[in-house]
Amino acid sequence: MEEKKYLNWYNKVGYGSGDIAGNVVYAFLSSFVMIYLTNTIGLSAGIVGTLIAVSKLFDGFTDIFFGAMIDKTHSRLGKARPWMLYGYIGCAITLAAIFAVPTSWGTTAQYAWFFIAYTLLNGVFYTANNIAYSALTSLVTRNSKERVQMGSCRFIFAFSTSLLIQSVTVGFVAMWGSDAAAWRTVAIIYAAIGLLVNTISVFSVKELSQEEQSSYEKQQEPQEEKYTQRAHRMPHPSAGQPRYGLITAFRLLASNKYYLMICGVYILQQLYGAMINAGIYYMTYVLKNENLYGVFSWAVNIPLIIALVFTPALVGKWKGMYKLNLRGYMIAVVGRALVIVAGYIGSIPLMLAFTAIAALGQGPWQGDMNAVIASCSEYTFLKTGKRVDGTMYSCTSLGVKLGGGLGTALAGWLLEFSGFNGKLAVQPDSCITMLHVMYLWLPFAINVIIMLVLAGMNVEEANERLRAKNSEML
């Protein structure tokens, strides 16, 4: 039987445009915050890295909290959309604040300003917005194909925005004077654009009614639970307010091995991205041309976008996401290995070509990742009868913040350890060696680990086995 369709093309496009807003924050922050703080404000890369790492200790508590709050929310806008809408107001304010460190203040006060603004952005506002945005994949449609299409559409916008931000920001800042005021002006412009697009995205989709969600859940609940409910004439456990708290939600997540795998992959992906974003140092001090950072961003993002366009069709052709994701990352591993070879040869054209091959292999996972998380949520529901969509999507924010934040912190620590000094035009040999490690070797190693994790992430097959088992018990 063909699955019911819930969305029109404009719903999918409108939803996907929300990642323009998300990446106005994330791409700008992850690509440029470190070089802004070290080369413009004059702060220590090592201390900045440490502050980011400390901030992540707070962030770790907020992801599951906001996920659980979304699950418990009942409003006119639904469960997730209010958090997505209002959370971004804080994102816009704190993004501008991070790039507005007062130059007249003392160094200690500058560190404090950055730490407070960075923690509020990542630990509160971005968390609420991003988890809500990701959770909408499960809340606006029950059609698995539409979920894949939403994910592909979302990440097409995400990588297009990253490409644009990484390509134009250096020149944009230069146009405004290349000083601290220029960074502040650019941040305010980006924040305003993000606020507008996020609002449009929120109102482009509508969450399923509580009645429709409950009807679906009754059809899918474990059969042994159905028998118990009929015998005792009890209502479905998902009806009305959830009957579990934050601790129970945490236990449900911890008992789902696929959730833990997805969290791991998401964190590794963000660590990978942080090393690639450190490429601005590699381009500036190794390749001697900071403008190459924008060129390499094209080699990363264009293949990703191409892969995303074809991901829904490939999922259908291969009857699932598992084989596509695993084979894609095999290609990514080979591509990054060849980037290392090209880097030591000193061939920029070959580095660009092999970077593109690696990105092409990473594309399918980016496109169907939200659908995999939805399947992961189904896995918990089929085993326990409890629906934890919002809490399940905490892995997206958790991965972005922990992986991206710790990746940026790691970049700062490695730069400090290598003897980097933002005031020097020519860096010591120890720093140049470290930049090779950060931009060439670490991304390859991370891709290998992701490939090995994906080899065990066949949640679709696990769900089929659970459904078959539950049917036999009827």
Side-chain angles (χ1 to χ4, degrees):
M1 181 183 295
E2 186 176 352
E3 292 184 276
K4 177 183 176 181
K5 294 182 179 180
Y6 295 83
L7 305 174
N8 293 309
W9 67 269
Y10 51 82
N11 300 124
K12 301 168 191 174
V13 172
Y15 169 81
S17 69
D19 241 331
I20 295 176
N23 277 274
V24 160
V25 172
Y26 182 73
F28 183 45
L29 191 67
S30 60
S31 296
F32 298 106
V33 70
M34 185 64 76
I35 202 163
Y36 158 72
L37 293 171
T38 59
N39 290 25
T40 300
I41 304 301
L43 302 182
S44 163
I47 295 176
V48 170
T50 300
L51 291 176
I52 290 173
V54 172
S55 176
K56 297 302 115 181
L57 296 177
F58 172 72
D59 284 359
F61 293 100
T62 61
D63 294 278
I64 296 176
F65 169 78
F66 279 111
M69 291 300 294
I70 290 169
D71 283 329
K72 294 180 178 181
T73 297
H74 294 273
S75 74
R76 182 176 57 85
L77 290 176
K79 291 176 173 289
R81 291 198 298 162
W83 295 94
M84 181 181 170
L85 179 65
Y86 300 119
Y88 201 89
I89 298 173
C91 287
I93 294 171
T94 50
L95 178 67
I98 287 173
F99 286 89
V101 177
T103 55
S104 60
W105 288 12
T107 302
T108 301
Q110 289 176 330
Y111 284 125
W113 175 286
F114 165 73
F115 178 75
I116 293 170
Y118 184 87
T119 300
L120 285 173
L121 172 61
N122 285 276
V124 181
F125 301 118
Y126 187 85
T127 299
N129 173 268
N130 188 257
I131 293 179
Y133 179 51
S134 299
L136 281 176
T137 305
S138 290
L139 296 173
V140 301
T141 178
R142 295 300 182 188
N143 186 306
S144 59
K145 292 181 181 178
E146 288 183 338
R147 287 173 175 174
V148 173
Q149 292 165 351
M150 289 174 70
S152 292
C153 188
R154 168 186 180 177
F155 284 103
I156 287 173
F157 278 107
F159 294 125
S160 298
T161 305
S162 293
L163 173 60
L164 185 62
I165 295 287
Q166 292 164 358
S167 298
V168 306
T169 297
V170 172
F172 201 15
V173 171
M175 182 182 76
W176 289 94
S178 296
D179 56 5
W183 282 103
R184 181 177 65 247
T185 300
V186 171
I188 291 171
I189 293 172
Y190 286 167
I193 293 171
L195 188 60
L196 174 63
V197 176
N198 181 78
T199 303
I200 293 172
S201 180
V202 167
F203 291 102
S204 68
V205 293
K206 185 177 180 180
E207 295 180 27
L208 300 177
S209 66
Q210 183 64 44
E211 292 75 17
E212 185 161 6
Q213 291 184 44
S214 297
S215 175
Y216 174 84
E217 289 164 359
K218 288 178 181 178
Q219 296 172 18
Q220 298 295 322
E221 67 188 5
Q223 299 299 333
E224 62 269 29
E225 188 171 338
K226 281 187 177 181
Y227 176 81
T228 302
Q229 289 165 5
R230 289 184 187 127
H232 295 86
R233 296 182 180 180
M234 292 174 63
H236 183 266
S238 297
Q241 292 284 348
R243 298 185 179 183
Y244 54 92
L246 188 60
I247 295 177
T248 301
F250 178 80
R251 288 174 178 169
L252 289 170
L253 297 184
S255 64
N256 187 328
K257 64 179 181 179
Y258 298 107
Y259 171 82
L260 300 178
M261 287 181 184
I262 292 172
C263 276
V265 170
Y266 221 119
I267 290 170
L268 287 167
Q269 279 184 299
Q270 302 306 315
L271 284 171
Y272 174 93
M275 294 302 105
I276 296 300
N277 289 332
I280 191 165
Y281 290 97
Y282 186 87
M283 309 307 161
T284 302
Y285 299 108
V286 177
L287 300 182
K288 309 296 184 181
N289 185 354
E290 65 179 9
N291 292 318
L292 282 174
Y293 182 70
V295 178
F296 272 85
S297 71
W298 281 76
V300 171
N301 290 290
I302 293 299
L304 281 170
I305 293 169
I306 293 172
L308 289 169
V309 170
F310 292 101
T311 293
L314 290 173
V315 169
K317 181 178 180 180
W318 286 359
K319 296 179 173 59
M321 299 172 280
Y322 172 72
K323 291 181 181 179
L324 178 60
N325 293 334
L326 179 58
R327 292 171 182 174
Y329 255 89
M330 289 177 179
I331 294 172
V333 167
V334 173
R336 287 310 303 185
L338 294 174
V339 170
I340 295 174
V341 175
Y344 282 103
I345 292 174
S347 172
I348 293 176
L350 284 178
M351 288 184 71
L352 288 167
F354 295 138
T355 295
I357 291 172
L360 193 66
Q362 294 170 324
W365 167 253
Q366 299 288 349
D368 64 30
M369 179 168 50
N370 269 17
V372 174
I373 299 172
S375 295
C376 188
S377 183
E378 289 294 313
Y379 180 80
T380 290
F381 180 72
L382 289 168
K383 290 191 70 174
T384 68
K386 290 183 171 63
R387 177 65 66 184
V388 288
D389 292 316
T391 315
M392 188 65 66
Y393 278 91
S394 65
C395 63
T396 59
S397 177
L398 182 67
V400 168
K401 293 191 308 179
L402 284 182
L406 292 177
T408 304
L410 178 62
W413 293 331
L414 293 176
L415 287 171
E416 187 79 10
F417 178 77
S418 70
F420 170 79
N421 185 337
K423 298 179 181 179
L424 299 177
V426 178
Q427 298 297 327
D429 290 342
S430 58
C431 180
I432 301 303
T433 299
M434 181 61 74
L435 289 174
H436 278 94
V437 172
M438 292 168 63
Y439 191 70
L440 300 179
W441 287 99
L442 287 180
F444 166 73
I446 292 169
N447 269 355
V448 171
I449 298 172
I450 291 175
M451 179 187 69
L452 295 176
V453 176
L454 289 179
M457 198 186 295
N458 198 347
V459 63
E460 297 165 284
E461 182 179 294
N463 285 347
E464 288 301 318
R465 289 197 301 267
L466 283 172
R467 292 188 184 99
K469 178 182 177 181
N470 290 340
S471 296
E472 291 173 0
M473 299 179 68
L474 182 62

